[in-house]
Amino acid sequence: MASSSRLVPAKAGTSGLRWLSLAVMLPVPFAGRRWALPFLTVLAPSARWSEALGKRHKTLTDRARQAILQSKRWLADRRVVVVADSSFAALELIAAVRRHVCLITRLRLDASLFEPAPVRRPGQRGRPRLKGKRRPKLSAVLTDPATIWTRVTMTEWYGGQRCALDYVSGIAVWYANGLPPALVRWVLLRDPSGERDAQAFLCTDLELEPAAILGRFVFRWRIETTFQEVREHPGVETQRHWSDLAILRTTLALLGLYSLITIWAHGLRSVPGAAVRPHAAAWYAKAQPTFSDAIAAVRRVLWTPQDFCGSRHQAERVEIPARLLERFVETLCLAA
């Protein structure tokens, strides 16, 4: 694990029931890249679901606040960086967690940004100011010919590709009436080729470099891969239950199982002949193992222990070549 843990909130769900999952971004040696491993998942029912059952509704940002603060309690001696999508770009959430973790999320191009409040003069009366002079919208900064852009090459952009991008950054107060103001570092990003839309991000750590902010946000997309894998292999959205609560309980278990399988597969490197290796198909060539290879390796170890064989009578035994048996087991592990 790196010196700073990266927690990635995301949401999904079935039957009007949602869940919010926090995953830690870790480099997986046998895969040669980072994976998002869920470690804390909380239920986040929609307002309609809560109203139908007569329950008090708690917003997604409220549940995210509780999950983030709980994670920080577990990791009290570590610096925690939380990377979230635009659903969590809320002033209330920033105010609640910024003293405990670093939060990185998207920022709207039309957000109301202001200069930091000026320093109070000695003897000045009245309440302290919350903000200074209004800054131009980021959408105006994007089209302003006087904007000075900095070129950066991202080695791990979307799809794992290298990409040259332009950015401009600054420190400002994000403010909305009736909500606590937030002093943030904003980063405006554009694609010089014009193929991708402009994006804006915010970070509560004012000292963090813009390139580091962009790199951490790109890591957040690993959790989308995690959700795709848990749908395809553990079957998180193809459960056969009649009760929504049963679906929710099983969903949480399957997300945890994804992380456990990854950890077990990592431990197989010390088992002779059991290391995770890529299984390529005629229509799909891959150089590094994926989760399907990891779960197949774990199944193989669980299904073929040396001390799990019972003896049979000679008449009941049919000998087959060891290579053919090996092929049968391999095929079953990948197809299960």
Side-chain angles (χ1 to χ4, degrees), residues 21-34:
S21 182
L22 273 69
V24 60
M25 300 297 304
L26 289 177
V28 179
F30 66 78
R33 57 185 179 275
R34 293 178 180 270

Side-chain angles (χ1 to χ4, degrees), residues 187-200:
V187 181
L188 179 61
L189 191 69
R190 75 172 185 181
D191 183 4
S193 66
E195 297 179 359
R196 303 171 183 85
D197 295 334
Q199 305 178 63

Side-chain angles (χ1 to χ4, degrees), residues 119-179:
V119 180
R120 288 175 62 86
R121 301 187 303 273
Q124 183 177 355
R125 297 183 178 182
R127 291 184 297 179
R129 295 183 60 180
L130 300 178
K131 61 185 188 303
K133 182 181 178 181
R134 179 183 288 274
R135 291 183 54 87
K137 302 278 188 179
L138 295 182
S139 55
V141 176
L142 179 64
T143 58
D144 188 353
T147 301
I148 301 176
W149 298 90
T150 301
R151 179 68 53 89
V152 61
T153 300
M154 303 299 298
T155 57
E156 292 187 47
W157 198 239
Y158 300 124
Q161 300 177 351
R162 294 176 61 90
C163 183
L165 301 168
D166 294 337
Y167 74 85
V168 61
S169 180
I171 296 175
V173 174
W174 183 22
Y175 180 80
N177 289 331
L179 297 174

Side-chain angles (χ1 to χ4, degrees), residues 280-285:
W283 60 90
Y284 177 44

Side-chain angles (χ1 to χ4, degrees), residues 2-23:
S3 59
S4 60
S5 302
R6 300 180 182 91
L7 312 181
V8 190
K11 62 179 186 300
T14 57
S15 303
L17 302 173
R18 299 183 299 177
W19 38 270
L20 180 145
S21 182
L22 273 69

Side-chain angles (χ1 to χ4, degrees), residues 299-312:
R299 284 170 177 158
R300 184 181 183 84
V301 172
L302 294 177
W303 293 353
T304 58
Q306 296 298 323
D307 57 350
F308 195 64
C309 299
S311 61
R312 295 184 176 184

